[in-house]
Each structure stands twice: as structure tokens, then as C-alpha cells.
Amino acid sequence: MATPSAMAYPPVPPAPPQGQSPFEQQPPEEKDSRPGVGPGVATGCGLQVLAVILFFLTAGIIPSFFGALWPFILFTIGAALLMLSRRWRRFATGALIVAAATWIVVIGPCIAIINGFGV
């Protein structure tokens, strides 16, 4: 069992290497070169605008409404596949946030309006 006087003091930090001052600053850590969530959100917004344009360009060619959703499905699956890569995971998270918002705010209500709300 430890004595009460031994428990009263905080642990001693390790000594600096020989010849180095304990007050010398450590070199800054390397900056992470992986793309972040912000560029992923920006790219996701651009891809969703492109998907809307492709939707209107191909809506007359593809007979079914769900078949015309191919650009939205393609970009969502592409972003989901980027999640498999550690380097692109944060970027893909941003793109998937925008894709999910597009599905919830735009595509879902449009499908409900066209199909008559299941009535």
C-alpha cells in the first residue's frame, strides 16, 4: 500500500533527452494531407447540381421516374465507395451529407407528390 505522502504529489514527467532544455519547444506536428469535410460538402453541392441537370436532360429518354434518378444514385454510391478509403473518408462524409440532404429535402417529397402520397 502506498503511503499518503507518496499519493499527494503528481507523477514526475520524464526527463528531456541529454543536451536538450526542458523548455525547448517541440517541432510542430505534420499537417494531415487528407481532404476534409468542407471540400467534400462543396463538391457534394456541385455534384447534386450536376445531378439535377442530368436528371432533366435524361428525364424524357428514360421512361420510369426511378430510372431517371440515376445521377443521384450514381453520385451517392460513388461517395459511399470513397468511404472505404482512409484517405478520402472525411471528404466522402461531406459529400454524403449533401447527398442525404438532397434525398430528404428534394427527391423524397417529389416522389411522394408524383405517386400521390401512397393513396
Side-chain angles (χ1 to χ4, degrees):
M1 182 170 172
T3 63
S5 63
M7 293 189 306
Y9 297 105
V12 178
Q18 187 68 22
Q20 184 179 2
S21 167
F23 302 106
E24 187 176 309
Q25 282 192 340
Q26 299 296 325
E29 294 182 19
E30 279 189 34
K31 186 175 189 286
D32 195 7
S33 64
R34 298 182 303 162
V37 175
V41 169
T43 303
C45 288
L47 287 175
Q48 294 307 312
V49 169
L50 179 63
V52 168
I53 293 169
L54 290 173
F55 167 77
F56 284 117
L57 289 176
T58 61
I61 300 170
I62 301 173
S64 72
F65 182 73
F66 291 106
L69 290 178
W70 71 268
F72 299 101
I73 295 169
L74 179 71
F75 295 145
T76 303
I77 290 174
L81 288 175
L82 278 178
M83 290 291 282
L84 299 174
S85 169
R86 183 180 185 280
R87 174 172 168 75
W88 292 98
R89 192 165 293 144
R90 294 188 300 189
F91 180 87
T93 300
L96 283 173
I97 288 170
V98 174
T102 303
W103 279 94
I104 292 170
V105 174
V106 178
I107 298 171
C110 289
I111 291 173
I113 290 170
I114 289 174
N115 289 337
F117 296 101
V119 177

PDB file of all heavy atoms in Angstrom, residues 1-14:
ATOM      1  N   MET A   1       0.842  -1.166   0.000  1.00  0.00           N
ATOM      2  CA  MET A   1       0.000   0.000   0.000  1.00  0.00           C
ATOM      3  C   MET A   1       0.896   1.241   0.000  1.00  0.00           C
ATOM      4  O   MET A   1       1.892   1.319   0.696  1.00  0.00           O
ATOM      5  CB  MET A   1      -0.886  -0.024   1.233  1.00  0.00           C
ATOM      6  CG  MET A   1      -1.829   1.126   1.281  1.00  0.00           C
ATOM      7  SD  MET A   1      -2.986   0.819   2.595  1.00  0.00           S
ATOM      8  CE  MET A   1      -3.783   2.341   2.588  1.00  0.00           C
ATOM      9  N   ALA A   2       0.501   2.244  -0.812  1.00  0.00           N
ATOM     10  CA  ALA A   2       1.299   3.464  -0.915  1.00  0.00           C
ATOM     11  C   ALA A   2       1.051   4.346   0.301  1.00  0.00           C
ATOM     12  O   ALA A   2      -0.028   4.371   0.862  1.00  0.00           O
ATOM     13  CB  ALA A   2       0.942   4.221  -2.175  1.00  0.00           C
ATOM     14  N   THR A   3       2.095   5.051   0.678  1.00  0.00           N
ATOM     15  CA  THR A   3       1.972   5.954   1.819  1.00  0.00           C
ATOM     16  C   THR A   3       1.193   7.202   1.406  1.00  0.00           C
ATOM     17  O   THR A   3       1.190   7.570   0.223  1.00  0.00           O
ATOM     18  CB  THR A   3       3.363   6.355   2.334  1.00  0.00           C
ATOM     19  OG1 THR A   3       4.020   7.062   1.305  1.00  0.00           O
ATOM     20  CG2 THR A   3       4.156   5.153   2.757  1.00  0.00           C
ATOM     21  N   PRO A   4       0.525   7.875   2.338  1.00  0.00           N
ATOM     22  CA  PRO A   4      -0.245   9.077   1.983  1.00  0.00           C
ATOM     23  C   PRO A   4       0.618  10.178   1.390  1.00  0.00           C
ATOM     24  O   PRO A   4       0.172  10.914   0.522  1.00  0.00           O
ATOM     25  CB  PRO A   4      -0.855   9.515   3.304  1.00  0.00           C
ATOM     26  CG  PRO A   4      -0.852   8.308   4.172  1.00  0.00           C
ATOM     27  CD  PRO A   4       0.288   7.478   3.729  1.00  0.00           C
ATOM     28  N   SER A   5       1.883  10.297   1.812  1.00  0.00           N
ATOM     29  CA  SER A   5       2.728  11.350   1.264  1.00  0.00           C
ATOM     30  C   SER A   5       3.098  11.064  -0.191  1.00  0.00           C
ATOM     31  O   SER A   5       3.289  11.971  -0.978  1.00  0.00           O
ATOM     32  CB  SER A   5       3.986  11.521   2.111  1.00  0.00           C
ATOM     33  OG  SER A   5       4.760  10.335   2.063  1.00  0.00           O
ATOM     34  N   ALA A   6       3.170   9.793  -0.593  1.00  0.00           N
ATOM     35  CA  ALA A   6       3.508   9.444  -1.974  1.00  0.00           C
ATOM     36  C   ALA A   6       2.340   9.735  -2.901  1.00  0.00           C
ATOM     37  O   ALA A   6       2.521  10.023  -4.082  1.00  0.00           O
ATOM     38  CB  ALA A   6       3.904   7.989  -2.066  1.00  0.00           C
ATOM     39  N   MET A   7       1.115   9.659  -2.397  1.00  0.00           N
ATOM     40  CA  MET A   7      -0.056   9.906  -3.236  1.00  0.00           C
ATOM     41  C   MET A   7      -0.371  11.394  -3.364  1.00  0.00           C
ATOM     42  O   MET A   7      -1.172  11.789  -4.179  1.00  0.00           O
ATOM     43  CB  MET A   7      -1.266   9.177  -2.651  1.00  0.00           C
ATOM     44  CG  MET A   7      -1.120   7.664  -2.730  1.00  0.00           C
ATOM     45  SD  MET A   7      -2.598   6.751  -2.311  1.00  0.00           S
ATOM     46  CE  MET A   7      -3.033   7.385  -0.719  1.00  0.00           C
ATOM     47  N   ALA A   8       0.232  12.238  -2.585  1.00  0.00           N
ATOM     48  CA  ALA A   8      -0.084  13.660  -2.593  1.00  0.00           C
ATOM     49  C   ALA A   8       0.585  14.404  -3.740  1.00  0.00           C
ATOM     50  O   ALA A   8       0.128  15.469  -4.122  1.00  0.00           O
ATOM     51  CB  ALA A   8       0.333  14.291  -1.267  1.00  0.00           C
ATOM     52  N   TYR A   9       1.640  13.868  -4.301  1.00  0.00           N
ATOM     53  CA  TYR A   9       2.371  14.561  -5.350  1.00  0.00           C
ATOM     54  C   TYR A   9       2.024  13.979  -6.718  1.00  0.00           C
ATOM     55  O   TYR A   9       1.852  12.775  -6.864  1.00  0.00           O
ATOM     56  CB  TYR A   9       3.878  14.448  -5.110  1.00  0.00           C
ATOM     57  CG  TYR A   9       4.311  15.106  -3.824  1.00  0.00           C
ATOM     58  CD1 TYR A   9       4.640  14.356  -2.708  1.00  0.00           C
ATOM     59  CD2 TYR A   9       4.366  16.493  -3.732  1.00  0.00           C
ATOM     60  CE1 TYR A   9       5.021  14.959  -1.528  1.00  0.00           C
ATOM     61  CE2 TYR A   9       4.750  17.112  -2.562  1.00  0.00           C
ATOM     62  CZ  TYR A   9       5.074  16.340  -1.457  1.00  0.00           C
ATOM     63  OH  TYR A   9       5.449  16.942  -0.295  1.00  0.00           O
ATOM     64  N   PRO A  10       1.949  14.827  -7.756  1.00  0.00           N
ATOM     65  CA  PRO A  10       1.680  14.299  -9.101  1.00  0.00           C
ATOM     66  C   PRO A  10       2.906  13.548  -9.615  1.00  0.00           C
ATOM     67  O   PRO A  10       4.028  13.766  -9.140  1.00  0.00           O
ATOM     68  CB  PRO A  10       1.407  15.556  -9.935  1.00  0.00           C
ATOM     69  CG  PRO A  10       2.076  16.665  -9.202  1.00  0.00           C
ATOM     70  CD  PRO A  10       2.045  16.275  -7.744  1.00  0.00           C
ATOM     71  N   PRO A  11       2.712  12.675 -10.589  1.00  0.00           N
ATOM     72  CA  PRO A  11       3.857  11.941 -11.133  1.00  0.00           C
ATOM     73  C   PRO A  11       4.840  12.884 -11.822  1.00  0.00           C
ATOM     74  O   PRO A  11       4.469  13.922 -12.361  1.00  0.00           O
ATOM     75  CB  PRO A  11       3.231  10.973 -12.142  1.00  0.00           C
ATOM     76  CG  PRO A  11       1.877  11.518 -12.427  1.00  0.00           C
ATOM     77  CD  PRO A  11       1.468  12.315 -11.233  1.00  0.00           C
ATOM     78  N   VAL A  12       6.099  12.513 -11.780  1.00  0.00           N
ATOM     79  CA  VAL A  12       7.170  13.321 -12.365  1.00  0.00           C
ATOM     80  C   VAL A  12       7.226  13.035 -13.860  1.00  0.00           C
ATOM     81  O   VAL A  12       7.276  11.873 -14.270  1.00  0.00           O
ATOM     82  CB  VAL A  12       8.513  12.977 -11.698  1.00  0.00           C
ATOM     83  CG1 VAL A  12       9.647  13.770 -12.335  1.00  0.00           C
ATOM     84  CG2 VAL A  12       8.442  13.224 -10.208  1.00  0.00           C
ATOM     85  N   PRO A  13       7.210  14.094 -14.726  1.00  0.00           N
ATOM     86  CA  PRO A  13       7.309  13.841 -16.165  1.00  0.00           C
ATOM     87  C   PRO A  13       8.697  13.322 -16.509  1.00  0.00           C
ATOM     88  O   PRO A  13       9.661  13.557 -15.771  1.00  0.00           O
ATOM     89  CB  PRO A  13       7.052  15.213 -16.797  1.00  0.00           C
ATOM     90  CG  PRO A  13       7.365  16.198 -15.729  1.00  0.00           C
ATOM     91  CD  PRO A  13       7.091  15.508 -14.420  1.00  0.00           C
ATOM     92  N   PRO A  14       8.817  12.602 -17.616  1.00  0.00           N
ATOM     93  CA  PRO A  14      10.137  12.073 -17.986  1.00  0.00           C
ATOM     94  C   PRO A  14      11.117  13.203 -18.288  1.00  0.00           C
ATOM     95  O   PRO A  14      10.731  14.274 -18.748  1.00  0.00           O
ATOM     96  CB  PRO A  14       9.862  11.227 -19.231  1.00  0.00           C
ATOM     97  CG  PRO A  14       8.559  11.724 -19.767  1.00  0.00           C
ATOM     98  CD  PRO A  14       7.790  12.255 -18.591  1.00  0.00           C
TER      99      PRO A  14
END
